[in-house]
Amino acid sequence: MYSMILRRFPGIGSGSLFQQSRQVLSAGGPVVAAPFRSISTTGMVALPYEKRLGPKGWPRYNSVVFPPQSLDEKRRPAYVCHMKTNIKYSPWKMWYVASFIRGMSVDEAILQLSFVNKKGAGFVKQTLLEAQELAVQDHNVEFRSNLWVAESFCTKGVVVKGIRRHARKRVGLVEYFHCHYFVRLEEGVPPKHFYTPQPDGPTLLQRWINDRRSQRVYGSF
Amino acid sequence: MKGYLTAIALRLSATDSIRGLKKLTELLFPFPKGFPPGLAVAGAPSTLPPIPMPSATMEDKKAEGFVWGVPKRRRSIETRLTRKFGVLEWHWKLIKPKYNLLVCDTCGHHYEAKHLCRNCYEKTMEETKLIRESMEAKFGHSPMDKDVIVLYESDKQSVPTDTTPSLNASNKLIVELPKNRPTFFSPNLLQKSTAGANRKVKDVTATDPVPIVHKTPSE
């Protein structure tokens, strides 16, 4: 879990939004006593086929309660984490759809996904619409359009193995892949560049000049 | 799909299904290396006399095997990146956003430029399906040798003009639908055009088109 990697107890308030939420989680904040562990299951043992399979950590970020901000600090934007687990689609194919919508506003992402000719696009669009609803109903977001895709990624889910025939009585293994899709919507206007943009001509030229100027010819006078 | 379902069934059937699956795979692939050793490559018979190998032992002979389905070389970073992202000029694998999306004036949904609005088209498909069902219900599968007229409730109520289908036509097959005429299905669409097999016939005259009056769309 991220909390193991980014354990910054004294510095809660510094760092990115997500680092802060992870800090709160790792510090054993109020989330630990959250619904997931407080449901009493005395007398009822979940049968193997009743257990909810798949990742559970991602929606826990929604129940993080941050400490109050000081007046100097910038207002922390609202966010909502949502996921769809065990989608019957290859994670390597889903990656293209997940990476496509990063940094887009929610409306733009939903519109563009309607015209993407991939099976995974339907699932991602559904997840976005659900997340939008959750944001407005539960997470104090005023306008459903005032959201952008801050994080969008997918991981491998259940793999069901099957058998197929080959020629000459040989047998082959068939793998039916599933994937999990995770999305985080943040309130506000999307940034101009989600990734660092390509440097423009003058910047590249200056870099080249600097490289040439720092060049040293060894063995010369 | 069938293979996927059987695989799912296998997985869910037994309580210790994972153990069962392991046993199954062991049955199918009982060999330690995973492949039957007997199927060696049958090379061409050598005409030369066999060269005596002084250090040839049983273990060496076993090691001189044929290697199945194994990578010959490490995939270079260029190969890997090309497989994942494609080549910009020829086949870019990343999804490109579309900038040719417009808003339909009729329904408000988005559609791609130079394509039909999907929402509107689906509505016409629904209406066509309804007409076809009612035609099948009334006339069955017998051949239709006369013109088919679709009559809506609003057609019966409105004042008859040149293009509104008449009820008492004997040379026409009439299909009645218990609903109002949709706004996109103008009666002008059913008027006969002059283009036909016999253009030299002069006694056939086309009716003048009636100007379409835009009404408020009914809910």
Side-chain angles (χ1 to χ4, degrees):
Chain A
M1 246 304 254
Y2 290 109
S3 56
M4 296 294 285
I5 302 158
L6 300 162
R7 215 177 262 277
R8 260 184 248 157
F9 292 102
I12 291 175
S14 67
S16 77
L17 168 75
F18 241 53
Q19 286 170 353
Q20 291 170 46
S21 65
R22 282 169 213 148
Q23 285 156 30
V24 176
L25 278 170
S26 68
V31 191
V32 178
F36 291 94
R37 292 187 201 181
S38 64
I39 291 170
S40 62
T41 53
T42 49
M44 265 280 286
V45 181
L47 292 160
Y49 59 84
E50 283 176 344
K51 270 191 211 162
R52 224 160 46 88
L53 297 164
K56 298 173 224 170
W58 189 244
R60 284 187 198 149
Y61 283 112
N62 289 329
S63 43
V64 169
V65 178
F66 294 93
Q69 287 185 287
S70 63
L71 292 163
D72 310 325
E73 274 183 81
K74 243 187 181 179
R75 189 184 171 160
R76 189 182 294 109
Y79 67 87
V80 67
C81 293
H82 193 47
M83 67 180 186
K84 201 167 269 295
T85 55
N86 287 317
I87 302 161
K88 178 63 198 72
Y89 195 56
S90 161
W92 299 279
K93 294 175 191 171
M94 186 60 119
W95 178 84
Y96 289 99
V97 185
S99 61
F100 173 54
I101 60 162
R102 278 175 202 151
M104 280 190 190
S105 68
V106 164
D107 289 346
E108 182 65 29
I110 291 165
L111 171 64
Q112 290 291 338
L113 286 169
S114 310
F115 293 92
V116 169
N117 191 17
K118 284 188 182 289
K119 182 173 157 180
F123 295 111
V124 171
K125 186 180 163 184
Q126 217 177 31
T127 318
L128 282 177
L129 289 164
E130 286 169 15
Q132 208 181 27
E133 263 192 61
L134 278 174
V136 172
Q137 284 167 17
D138 302 336
H139 297 98
N140 203 30
V141 167
E142 198 178 353
F143 305 110
R144 65 174 190 184
S145 292
N146 196 25
L147 291 161
W148 63 282
V149 179
E151 285 187 59
S152 163
F153 57 95
C154 59
T155 53
K156 188 174 76 171
V158 160
V159 182
V160 177
K161 275 126 192 158
I163 304 150
R164 67 150 288 187
R165 294 158 163 260
H166 279 281
R168 295 172 175 261
K169 297 175 191 172
R170 281 180 234 180
V171 187
L173 193 71
V174 184
E175 289 173 306
Y176 298 99
F177 288 100
H178 297 72
C179 64
H180 309 305
Y181 174 68
F182 306 90
V183 72
R184 182 169 74 88
L185 299 177
E186 209 172 276
E187 197 179 19
V189 175
K192 232 181 172 182
H193 297 287
F194 186 78
Y195 297 106
T196 31
Q198 285 273 13
D200 60 336
T203 317
L204 285 166
L205 180 66
Q206 196 56 50
R207 273 191 209 169
W208 185 85
I209 289 165
N210 294 340
D211 288 341
R212 289 287 159 273
R213 282 181 182 157
S214 62
Q215 231 176 357
R216 299 283 173 264
V217 178
Y218 296 103
S220 67
F221 292 113
Chain B
M1 189 63 186
K2 195 176 154 189
Y4 172 61
L5 290 172
T6 47
I8 291 269
L10 253 174
R11 193 186 157 87
L12 293 171
S13 58
T15 46
D16 51 349
S17 55
I18 297 162
R19 239 183 284 161
L21 211 73
K22 264 190 177 171
K23 276 192 176 174
L24 188 71
T25 48
E26 274 168 28
L27 278 169
L28 292 163
F29 303 95
F31 315 104
K33 284 188 179 176
F35 303 103
L39 293 162
V41 169
S46 176
T47 52
L48 299 163
I51 300 156
M53 301 282 280
S55 59
T57 56
M58 276 299 287
E59 285 166 34
D60 289 339
K61 280 183 183 172
K62 271 189 187 172
E64 286 170 352
F66 187 80
V67 188
W68 298 78
V70 133
K72 197 73 180 175
R73 285 263 171 271
R74 188 194 173 177
R75 273 190 194 152
S76 62
I77 188 67
E78 294 93 355
T79 306
R80 279 180 267 151
L81 291 173
T82 310
R83 283 171 78 93
K84 188 167 186 179
F85 301 105
V87 183
L88 196 65
E89 294 92 36
W90 299 321
H91 173 58
W92 191 235
K93 291 190 89 173
L94 292 188
I95 303 167
K96 286 182 255 189
K98 289 192 172 153
Y99 300 107
N100 61 343
L101 304 174
L102 307 164
V103 182
C104 178
D105 295 327
T106 321
C107 63
H109 283 73
H110 291 269
Y111 70 102
E112 221 178 318
K114 301 177 187 176
H115 290 66
L116 294 173
C117 169
R118 191 185 175 142
N119 188 254
C120 294
Y121 189 52
E122 275 176 9
K123 283 189 179 163
T124 54
M125 284 208 284
E126 274 175 39
E127 192 65 34
T128 315
K129 194 182 173 189
L130 206 73
I131 293 166
R132 281 183 180 157
E133 279 170 2
S134 49
M135 273 166 74
E136 199 181 316
K138 192 164 181 187
F139 307 116
H141 296 283
S142 55
M144 281 168 213
D145 49 350
K146 299 171 189 172
D147 293 332
V148 178
I149 299 291
V150 183
L151 205 68
Y152 290 93
E153 290 291 327
S154 49
D155 294 340
K156 293 177 194 171
Q157 290 157 17
S158 63
V159 175
T161 57
D162 284 339
T163 48
T164 46
S166 58
L167 280 162
N168 299 321
S170 57
N171 60 339
K172 288 168 191 173
L173 300 169
I174 295 163
V175 173
E176 287 181 35
L177 289 169
K179 59 184 283 219
N180 285 329
R181 181 175 280 274
T183 44
F184 58 79
F185 193 14
S186 163
N188 289 337
L189 294 168
L190 295 169
Q191 66 163 333
K192 292 275 181 190
S193 65
T194 47
N198 199 356
R199 286 176 200 243
K200 290 177 185 176
V201 176
K202 283 173 189 174
D203 55 348
V204 174
T205 52
T207 52
D208 292 327
V210 174
I212 301 162
V213 177
H214 285 283
K215 295 175 192 170
T216 50
S218 53
E219 290 331 303

